[in-house]
């Protein structure tokens, strides 16, 4: 009996550790009258190194997301033997995420990730980004915004863990300002909320303001939570 008790608590401890490693900071809650679904990188496939790929029928929702990568793509390299962009868990606390690793970016270079939705999404879109730090030479700055079907721009809200390695540097912009990757210090939760139809979300990745460009610069995008808002007044 003692052996089984030890085994039970060992398994419980292991599961608890995994959950902590995969902790998210964004708000993924969804009202009961709404429809929610998740783009889960642990369940999806992404062709390593591909600069354009569509994830079809996300979580059985009928919604599709196309990821198009542009900018300084010639600097993209491998991470743990995986061409990036590609799915790894090295930056995201053991959870699968879409990883982007660059050999280095100059002060004028960036990598742009355009996530386009078909059909457009009316509701909440939320996800975490990882490795927003300033480690002296390597480090990251992220600019995030969305565009609606009527051409308006939306800026997200950000959530930190209370001791982040980044600071808010303007609307939709977070910039690495410390080197700690402990816990979720380098992680940021991103939340969009709109009754209008969102056609695209953009994540622009560049080196942090205080960083040099002669070393690896990388970040990752975690699972994306969707919460569709019902059109109760039928105004479209």
């Amino acid at each position: 009996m003692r052996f089984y008790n030890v085994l039970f608590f060992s398994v419980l401890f292991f599961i608890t550790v995994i959950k902590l490693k995969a902790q998210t900071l964004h708000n993924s809650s969804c009202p009961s009258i709404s429809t929610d679904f998740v783009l889960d990188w642990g369940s999806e496939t992404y062709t390593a190194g591909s600069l354009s790929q569509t994830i079809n029928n996300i979580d059985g929702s009928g919604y599709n997301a196309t990821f198009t990568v542009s900018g300084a793509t010639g600097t993209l390299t491998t991470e743990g033997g995986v061409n990036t962009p590609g799915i790894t868990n090295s930056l995201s606390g053991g959870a699968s995420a879409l990883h982007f690793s660059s050999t280095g970016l100059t002060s004028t270079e960036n990598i742009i990730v355009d996530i386009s939705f078909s059909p457009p999404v009316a509701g909440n879109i939320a996800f975490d980004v990882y490795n927003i730090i300033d480690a002296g030479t390597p480090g990251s700055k992220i600019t995030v915004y969305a565009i609606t079907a009527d051409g308006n721009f939306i800026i997200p809200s950000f959530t930190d863990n209370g001791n982040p390695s980044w600071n808010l540097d303007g609307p939709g912009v977070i910039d690495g300002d410390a080197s700690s990757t402990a816990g979720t210090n380098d992680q940021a939760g991103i939340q969009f909320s709109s009754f209008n139809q969102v056609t695209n979300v953009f994540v622009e990745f560049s080196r942090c303001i205080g960083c040099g460009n002669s070393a690896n610069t990388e970040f990752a995008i975690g699972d994306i939570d969707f919460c569709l808002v019902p059109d109760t007044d039928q105004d479209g």
Side-chain angles (χ1 to χ4, degrees), residues 35-38 56-64 118-119 226 228:
T35 302
D36 64 294
F37 56 95
V38 183
N56 290 305
N57 194 26
I58 302 166
D59 200 14
S61 65
Y63 283 76
N64 311 310
S118 176
F226 300 86
L228 304 183

Side-chain angles (χ1 to χ4, degrees), residues 159-172:
T159 302
D160 63 43
N161 70 346
N163 187 37
S165 293
W166 51 268
N167 65 77
L168 187 63
D169 196 54

